[in-house]
Amino acid sequence: MDLVNHLEGRLLFAVPKKGRLLQAALNLLEGADIQFKRENRLDIALVKNLPIALIFLPAADIPTFVGEGRVDLGITGFDQVKEHDAGTRALARLRRMSNEWDADKAGKPRGCETVLDLGFGFCRLQVQVPAKGGYAEGKDLIGKNIGTSFVHLAREYFARLELEQEGVKDAAQQQQQPLEGRKLRTKIIELSGSVEAACALGVADGIVDLVESGETMKAAGLKAIDTVVETSAILIKSKAPSNPALVSLIASRIHGVITAQKYVLCQYNVPRAKLADATHVTPGKRAATVTSLDEEGWVAVSAMVEQKRIATVMDDLVQVGATDILVLDIHNTRSS
């Protein structure tokens, strides 16, 4: 089946084709009832129950495809969006300087917008140096060799440090100094993989790379001395999607799945005289649901509670006199 010829009329949704975000993204799509089958590791999959086509792309490329309007929606890391934005700023400046800036194209709605933080893939883009070396702060690496796959964010980071070293420390003054076109004393070396080996192999004095658990960093004999950006997986959309209503539907479904993963439903019985104390413990997202029982003076209460707090909440409910406490999983939810 030639899937490319079946894309017309479908909303294009980019998903990471591999890496740390892939499985969690697929689980999220399953929870949102986006039904598909990816045949033979193909990079296109047609959704069976909605007019959507999933496009499997490298996470680093997804902000570009969404930002250019080639794809309507995408799941990627916040770090990748920031890197793309920094690269876009640098390219725009170069074009303006070379008189290649097209005012008509500049007026089109390009770029991507964040729809949701998806609540997984948490890590940090950090400046790292040999643990046994003499570097303690980011400014110690000014003028040195830096290995990274995030070349644009690394350039902006060291451009700011160089400005500070020159006495331009005020944020407003720094904004007047174009970071993108600045000639750096620090050398940024682009690496596409195994960045953590760059110091040990003598390629770089320090690196800028993602740190999740820190185990890989420690195993490579490195330590973090600064954080460039904190990141997690996000849902992004084009500024001019082909089907805004369907984008809103998908976002609503995914938001429902994320909410369901964070909350449980707590149900219990409590004397009406103790109701105010009990609902103070379980106020719910908007308000608790209270129902009178056949037994005089008793009510039943239902409330959504954050899953990470449920053990403490149950203890507190017992203390105020609640009984028959039940905790139920929430598989999905919707809210306006």
Side-chain angles (χ1 to χ4, degrees), residues 263-312:
Y263 287 86
V264 291
L265 185 65
C266 183
Q267 298 181 331
Y268 56 90
N269 298 328
V270 68
R272 184 175 290 278
K274 300 287 187 179
L275 179 59
D277 293 335
T279 53
H280 179 73
V281 176
T282 60
K285 284 200 72 181
R286 180 168 297 172
T289 300
V290 180
T291 307
S292 296
L293 296 179
D294 285 343
E295 185 172 347
E296 183 70 24
W298 282 79
V299 293
V301 180
S302 296
M304 291 175 66
V305 176
E306 281 189 286
Q307 191 164 14
K308 64 184 180 182
R309 295 181 53 243
I310 190 59
T312 302

Side-chain angles (χ1 to χ4, degrees), residues 89-101 178 180-182:
R89 288 192 294 270
L91 180 59
R93 177 171 174 78
L94 287 173
R95 286 179 173 172
R96 283 194 296 267
M97 291 175 65
S98 60
N99 296 319
E100 292 180 6
W101 184 252
E180 304 86 8
R182 179 182 174 82

Side-chain angles (χ1 to χ4, degrees), residues 167-237:
V168 185
K169 297 184 178 182
D170 183 74
Q173 287 182 303
Q174 285 191 4
Q175 289 179 356
Q176 296 174 6
Q177 303 274 348
L179 300 178
E180 304 86 8
R182 179 182 174 82
K183 185 174 178 59
L184 287 182
R185 287 178 283 137
T186 308
K187 184 178 180 181
I188 308 299
I189 302 170
E190 183 172 8
L191 302 173
S192 59
S194 300
V195 177
E196 68 278 356
C199 293
L201 295 176
V203 175
D205 301 293
I207 65 171
V208 175
D209 200 19
L210 291 174
V211 177
E212 192 168 2
S213 67
E215 294 302 316
T216 301
M217 177 178 65
K218 292 176 183 176
L222 302 171
K223 66 177 181 180
I225 59 173
D226 201 1
T227 297
V228 178
V229 67
E230 294 187 348
T231 181
S232 62
I234 57 176
L235 178 69
I236 59 175
K237 69 175 182 178

